[in-house]
């Protein structure tokens, strides 16, 4: 499963695995893929340094990367407190009423919210980069498109490739013009923030739009057959995220959430603004239904929505409130029906890829005749 890009990065398989869990990222790289650690949850630089130290100790010298979230432009002089002050009281009351309706307990006195959206703020991401560039990362990915120009230059100065997610061919061309090295064409099926174009349509459009830049296909991919299809469409690899959530190395801290993921079908997700204010595919729950109800107050724009619901999400997760408990995940959740190691997932992906390639060769009439 090698391509020009995978050879350039020194990985056996052109499988790029995005994950918020250091153990999963390291396992992906050890299995022959390219692990990418999501940094958005790290609000303190020392926490990120601790986990990058851990990856260094457990990656067996294999390459890995980091995914940050930062806008190409910023608003100067706006603090988190300033943003918090913009949240209307009516929306705060809606959160209180919804939690009370479902009997969600309060956090203990003095207990801070375990989930904050501050990782979406540019200065937090820049602090993360100050740490990351002290490590031998090979790739910097940005989930909000092209990072600022000075960040691209800084990455290139450290011999780090830069990737940016795109939901359309137009976005892909903008990233190419900005000087990034890899486009991640993320289709509608993907978990988390995603656009409205399906992977089968988006991948070849992006490939044609930015050639000869390499494109990674993302969104709804979780089998070797799909990887073969992505490469046939012109991609130089695949970007997988949701698939790792039910691996044994993942640390969701919630048996109830793991059970929900294992039981979910491909139709049990929804694109909702409930989590961050931007459309993000996630498990459909009574929480997403409440926010998407036209009789409700509606969601706020990013980053207001994320700040508004941060404590509520922490309470729902801590007390595992079944009807409200969810997570960003793609439509591939329908295939995630057992807990397996990262290595076992790779074994299945490579076997499926080989079968798919053999099938195409036979169809083309160049394989052995039975």
């Amino acid at each position: 499963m090698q391509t020009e890009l995978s050879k350039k990065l020194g990985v056996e398989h052109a499988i790029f695995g995005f994950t918020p869990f250091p153990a999963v990222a390291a396992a992906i790289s050890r299995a022959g893929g390219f692990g990418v650690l999501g940094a958005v949850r790290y609000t303190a630089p020392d926490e990120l340094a601790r986990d990058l130290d851990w990856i260094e100790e457990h990656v067996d010298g294999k390459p890995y990367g980091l995914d940050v979230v930062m806008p190409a432009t910023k608003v100067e002089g706006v603090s988190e407190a300033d943003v918090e002050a913009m949240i209307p009281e009516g929306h705060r009351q809606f959160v209180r009423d919804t939690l009370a309706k479902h009997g969600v307990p309060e956090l203990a006195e003095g207990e801070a919210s375990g989930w904050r959206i501050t990782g979406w703020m540019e200065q937090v991401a820049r602090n993360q980069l100050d740490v990351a560039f002290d490590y031998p990362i090979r790739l910097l990915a940005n989930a909000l498109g092209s990072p600022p120009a000075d960040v691209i230059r800084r990455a290139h100065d450290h011999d780090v490739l830069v990737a940016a997610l795109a939901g359309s061919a137009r976005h892909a061309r903008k990233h190419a013009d900005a000087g990034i090295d890899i486009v991640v064409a993320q289709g509608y099926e993907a978990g988390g923030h995603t656009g409205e174009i399906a992977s089968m349509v988006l991948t070849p459009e992006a490939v044609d739009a930015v050639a000869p830049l390499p494109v990674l296909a993302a969104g709804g991919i979780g089998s070797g057959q799909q990887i073969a299809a992505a490469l046939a469409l012109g991609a130089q690899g695949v970007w997988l995220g949701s698939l790792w959530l039910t691996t044994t190395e993942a640390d969701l801290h919630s048996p109830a959430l793991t059970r929900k993921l294992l039981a979910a079908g491909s139709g049990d997700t929804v694109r909702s603004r409930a989590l961050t204010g931007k459309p993000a595919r996630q498990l459909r729950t009574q929480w997403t239904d409440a926010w998407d109800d036209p009789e409700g107050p509606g969601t706020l724009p990013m980053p207001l929505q994320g700040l508004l619901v941060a404590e509520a999400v922490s309470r729902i997760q801590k007390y595992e409130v079944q009807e409200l408990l969810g997570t960003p995940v793609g439509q591939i959740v329908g295939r995630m029906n057992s807990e397996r190691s990262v290595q076992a997932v790779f074994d299945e992906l490579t076997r499926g890829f080989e079968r798919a390639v053999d099938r195409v060769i036979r169809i083309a009439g160049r394989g052995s005749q039975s």
Side-chain angles (χ1 to χ4, degrees):
M1 232 186 283
Q2 285 200 333
T3 64
E4 183 179 342
L5 178 60
S6 66
K7 292 175 182 177
K8 182 176 183 178
L9 288 168
V11 296
E12 182 180 1
H13 303 300
I15 298 174
F16 294 71
F18 164 79
T19 174
F21 307 117
V24 176
I28 290 169
S29 291
R30 289 198 308 272
F34 190 99
V36 182
L37 179 67
V40 70
R41 67 189 181 95
Y42 295 97
T43 56
D46 59 332
E47 294 174 352
L48 177 59
R50 176 201 63 207
D51 282 355
L52 289 176
D53 283 338
W54 190 94
I55 289 177
E56 277 289 300
E57 294 172 4
H58 294 84
V59 82
D60 293 347
K62 302 293 180 64
Y64 63 94
L66 191 74
D67 180 279
V68 297
V69 179
M70 58 192 316
T73 58
K74 65 178 179 179
V75 179
E76 298 284 358
V78 178
S79 67
E80 182 179 346
D82 294 330
V83 177
E84 286 265 18
M86 301 177 189
I87 298 174
E89 176 57 29
H91 281 72
R92 295 187 187 276
Q93 187 61 48
F94 181 76
V95 170
R96 290 191 290 266
D97 291 344
T98 303
L99 295 178
K101 176 182 176 181
H102 293 276
V104 182
E106 298 275 357
L107 295 176
E109 186 174 352
E111 182 178 358
S113 168
W115 184 88
R116 297 294 286 170
I117 204 67
T118 51
W120 297 94
M121 302 182 75
E122 182 181 348
Q123 189 52 54
V124 175
R126 287 187 177 274
N127 292 340
Q128 293 165 350
L129 295 179
D130 290 339
V131 172
F133 286 133
D134 287 336
Y135 292 82
I137 62 171
R138 295 295 310 282
L139 175 72
L140 174 67
N142 187 37
L144 280 185
S146 303
D150 67 297
V151 171
I152 297 175
R153 289 193 298 270
R154 188 178 177 191
H156 289 165
D157 288 344
H158 284 83
D159 197 28
V160 173
L161 298 180
V162 179
L165 272 66
S168 69
R170 179 176 61 84
H171 292 155
R173 282 191 291 269
K174 284 185 62 177
H175 300 339
D177 292 342
I180 60 95
D181 306 289
I182 302 166
V183 169
V184 180
Q186 180 172 275
Y188 169 86
E189 308 95 325
H193 295 130
T194 184
E196 299 181 353
I197 304 174
S199 298
M200 182 62 75
V201 174
L202 176 62
T203 301
E205 284 188 351
V207 168
D208 291 343
V210 301
L213 279 185
V215 170
L216 299 177
I221 300 173
S223 71
Q225 295 92 322
Q226 291 171 302
I227 296 174
L231 299 188
L233 292 172
Q236 288 203 30
V238 293
W239 178 275
L240 310 182
S242 298
L243 192 64
W244 316 111
L245 289 173
T246 53
T247 57
T248 54
E249 292 90 347
D251 190 11
L252 286 177
H253 297 294
S254 174
L257 181 54
T258 298
R259 289 193 296 271
K260 289 190 77 170
L261 288 169
L262 294 173
S266 56
D268 292 329
T269 68
V270 63
R271 284 174 76 244
S272 171
R273 298 176 184 269
L275 188 61
T276 67
K278 287 175 65 71
R281 186 171 298 283
Q282 54 202 280
L283 283 179
R284 181 175 181 176
T285 66
Q286 292 185 35
W287 177 255
T288 61
D289 286 348
W291 282 104
D292 295 338
D293 188 337
E295 295 187 3
T299 56
L300 298 171
M302 179 185 282
L304 299 181
Q305 182 71 14
L307 288 169
L308 168 66
V309 305
E311 181 181 323
V313 170
S314 291
R315 289 165 59 185
I316 291 166
Q317 291 176 345
K318 176 178 179 178
Y319 299 109
E320 296 189 313
V321 183
Q322 184 73 16
E323 64 271 21
L324 302 181
L325 187 62
T327 187
V329 69
Q331 291 180 329
I332 198 63
V333 70
R335 295 184 65 97
M336 295 158 49
N337 48 24
S338 66
E339 290 187 81
R340 299 171 295 164
S341 69
V342 168
Q343 183 62 62
V345 172
F346 262 83
D347 291 343
E348 182 177 291
L349 292 175
T350 54
R351 287 194 299 267
F353 178 82
E354 290 169 357
R355 289 194 299 269
V357 171
D358 288 345
R359 185 183 306 120
V360 172
I361 290 174
R362 288 196 301 272
I363 293 171
R366 292 192 293 271
S368 59
Q369 300 297 315
S370 58

